[in-house]
Amino acid sequence: VVKGNSEYTINEVNIRLEGNRGNDFIGYGAGITCVDNAKVTINNSDIHLAGITRCAFHGGGNSITTLNNCRISNISPDSDKHKGRSFVAFWQLPLIGTNRSTQCCDNATIYYNSCRIESNGWGVCSIDGGRDTHMYFKDSTLELKGARAYGYGAFSIGKAFVSYDNCTVNVNGFPLLIGGHG
């Protein structure tokens, strides 16, 4: 967790976590969480989770995070208990799966440069609870795959901006999904 009025650079970290029941809306249980006014650069890192409703990376508050050449994934465990678990959002769009890889909220800004981000859940990268959020993807790959995966590459709800620049978005569902509450 990086918080406060701080500036950090994280180089070549390898995070592997397993487990369920986190709260990805506030970054609880995330591999890396950046909040408050933190300015964080993450270089050449691997952040991999296997869990349900727990994201690999969370940006919140007024944080600004830049991820360069990172590999991020959140893979739902394959079990009969959670097989076929689905979530239906308020707009009646069925999203199948049990997780997303990254979460952005509040006034956070996230830059993904030359990153590979994967999930087999309901989505890859999400903005939820955004007041003035921004996600920029450059030279990156977003992939949502697997028998239980149906959802989005990037999702935005609230006052948000999402940009794809020279990216590959390979998803079973929607490359970009935009909700209301703006």
Side-chain angles (χ1 to χ4, degrees), residues 41-91:
T41 301
I42 304 168
N43 297 311
N44 304 308
S45 295
D46 293 305
I47 308 166
H48 303 286
L49 266 67
I52 296 171
T53 316
R54 182 179 182 187
C55 59
F57 171 77
H58 171 83
N62 297 308
S63 66
I64 299 171
T65 307
T66 302
L67 295 98
N68 298 308
N69 194 34
C70 293
R71 286 135 321 272
I72 301 167
S73 67
N74 191 356
I75 305 302
S76 291
D78 189 16
S79 73
D80 289 337
K81 181 179 179 184
H82 301 291
K83 198 168 194 169
R85 182 174 173 190
S86 64
F87 298 86
V88 180
F90 67 91
W91 60 88

Side-chain angles (χ1 to χ4, degrees), residues 166-182:
N166 194 40
C167 293
T168 299
V169 181
N170 182 18
V171 300
N172 185 15
F174 310 92
L176 178 61
L177 184 57
I178 301 171
H181 300 303

Side-chain angles (χ1 to χ4, degrees), residues 4-5 13-15 19 27-28 37 46 59-60 86 91 104 124 127 130 140:
N5 295 317
V13 68
N14 186 355
I15 297 172
Y28 180 71
N37 295 307
D46 293 305
S86 64
W91 60 88
C104 178
V124 183
I127 294 175
S140 294

Side-chain angles (χ1 to χ4, degrees), residues 18 25 56 63 91-92 114 118 133 136-137 141 154 161 168-169:
E18 291 185 27
F25 282 100
S63 66
W91 60 88
Q92 301 304 309
S114 300
E118 300 175 343
T133 51
Y136 299 91
F137 300 92
T141 299
F161 180 83
T168 299
V169 181

Side-chain angles (χ1 to χ4, degrees), residues 140-157:
S140 294
T141 299
L142 287 76
E143 191 163 36
L144 179 65
K145 62 183 179 181
R148 294 172 291 145
Y150 185 83
Y152 54 81
F155 172 73
S156 136
I157 191 166

